[in-house]
Amino acid sequence: SWAKLKNTFMEPEIVLSGSIVYSQKSYVSYINKVNGEVVNNLSSKKILETLMLHPFVQAGRVSHRYPNKIIIELKEREAFAIINKDPLVILDRDCFVLPIEDNFNNYDIPILSKFNSDNNLYPIGEKSLSVKVQETILWLSSLYDQDPDFYSSISEVLLENGNEIVLILNEYPTKVLLGDTDTLQKI
């Protein structure tokens, strides 16, 4: 009767943790909207399944803590590259297309130019369907693993003559012609 009086089990507190950049309230409203029910009425499994559908969520874990908490731990996808087209497309390191937010100017990541601009190749929340973009993101990811400082110095990646990679660096807008073979070793 005390639990009923205090609504202990009816209105739990929702706590989001992890490296969350996206609005915490929007995650809760997203769960409510997708399920058509209040988060409080859902099982941990259903909450997690719904969160995994969100384009920004890479991994997550949900647990209930007695007496009245739902703990949601999230790992969000991080912007890794921007495709220069209208509208802009932001990709993570696994080539997933992230929704555009108003603060996309805050990203200091390489811009990919002269890639296919067909909107059908960039479904939000899914992997890019462009093979060239996937190859370039994989290439940039390998470069990031080998030399994160050099990755940070890249302003733009151009695709010229079909397959040739051209880098434009931040300092003194230096243009680096890499061609289309053994590009990582050339760097």
Side-chain angles (χ1 to χ4, degrees):
S1 65
W2 179 82
K4 279 185 182 178
L5 181 67
K6 295 298 240 174
N7 290 327
T8 301
F9 301 112
M10 300 305 287
E11 297 178 24
E13 175 187 354
I14 298 170
V15 178
L16 281 117
S17 65
S19 57
I20 298 173
V21 176
Y22 197 66
S23 168
Q24 293 187 13
K25 289 180 183 179
S26 63
Y27 282 121
V28 174
S29 63
Y30 176 80
I31 296 168
N32 294 341
K33 185 176 85 174
V34 169
N35 290 300
E37 293 185 56
V38 179
V39 175
N40 306 349
N41 300 335
L42 299 172
S43 68
S44 297
K45 181 179 177 184
K46 190 68 176 172
I47 293 170
L48 185 59
E49 286 173 356
T50 305
L51 280 172
M52 294 309 294
L53 298 174
H54 194 283
F56 271 121
V57 175
Q58 184 174 7
R61 181 169 60 182
V62 177
S63 59
H64 289 271
R65 299 277 161 64
Y66 182 81
N68 65 342
K69 283 188 182 177
I70 297 176
I71 308 291
I72 301 173
E73 298 174 75
L74 296 177
K75 180 175 186 230
E76 289 182 322
R77 297 186 182 281
E78 296 177 14
F80 191 70
I82 297 174
I83 297 182
N84 189 10
K85 64 178 237 39
D86 189 27
L88 293 175
V89 173
I90 299 177
L91 302 170
D92 79 338
R93 196 169 175 179
D94 297 319
C95 210
F96 278 86
V97 179
L98 302 176
I100 295 279
E101 289 202 356
D102 295 336
N103 62 350
F104 66 85
N105 290 330
N106 296 338
Y107 296 126
D108 188 19
I109 53 179
I111 297 172
L112 309 180
S113 296
K114 297 187 180 179
F115 286 81
N116 192 335
S117 62
D118 183 7
N119 287 331
N120 296 327
L121 295 174
Y122 309 103
I124 293 176
E126 298 178 29
K127 273 193 167 184
S128 169
L129 302 175
S130 170
V131 174
K132 290 292 181 200
V133 169
Q134 289 178 5
E135 289 172 357
T136 304
I137 293 294
L138 183 63
W139 181 86
L140 276 171
S141 186
S142 297
L143 178 64
Y144 181 82
D145 290 339
Q146 292 176 14
D147 193 350
D149 291 332
F150 188 74
Y151 163 82
S152 297
S153 72
I154 297 173
S155 172
E156 190 170 4
V157 178
L158 300 168
L159 194 62
E160 291 186 348
N161 301 327
N163 290 330
E164 294 181 9
I165 294 175
V166 177
L167 301 179
I168 298 177
L169 304 180
N170 290 329
E171 292 194 31
Y172 314 114
T174 306
K175 195 173 188 178
V176 180
L177 306 171
L178 294 175
D180 60 350
T181 56
D182 300 323
T183 51
L184 281 176
Q185 289 180 347
K186 289 178 184 176
I187 288 177

